[in-house]
């Protein structure tokens, strides 16, 4: 399966999911937030961007998928 055109989701690590979902909701964005473990294996996730912590050495990347 894939996300229908015009639909997107944010996929992140489990510890960050609730905080990110709260932030998205606060700004009234119509984007769903999932942790990687919440996605069934048949879901096709294609990253469109990766958010990095500029203070890290590049090992802390959070993919943003659609």
């Amino acid at each position: 399966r894939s996300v229908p055109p015009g639909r997107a989701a944010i996929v992140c690590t489990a510890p960050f999911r609730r905080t990110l979902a709260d932030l998205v909701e606060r700004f009234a964005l119509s984007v769903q937030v999932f942790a990687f473990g919440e996605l069934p294996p048949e879901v096709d996730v294609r990253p469109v961007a990766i958010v990095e912590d500029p203070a890290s050495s590049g090992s802390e990347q959070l993919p943003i998928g659609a």
Side-chain angles (χ1 to χ4, degrees):
R1 296 187 304 176
S2 63
V3 175
R7 300 273 323 259
I10 298 173
V11 182
C12 61
T13 59
F16 191 56
R17 183 201 174 287
R18 175 75 338 227
T19 302
L20 187 55
D22 289 344
L23 181 66
V24 166
E25 183 178 331
R26 187 177 316 144
F27 285 94
L29 301 174
S30 57
V31 177
Q32 293 181 304
V33 180
F34 298 96
F36 290 104
E38 296 176 314
L39 301 174
E42 65 271 9
V43 172
D44 182 22
V45 177
R46 294 186 195 126
V48 295
I50 295 177
V51 177
E52 287 186 56
D53 178 357
S56 77
S57 61
S59 61
E60 296 295 325
Q61 295 182 346
L62 300 173
I64 299 177

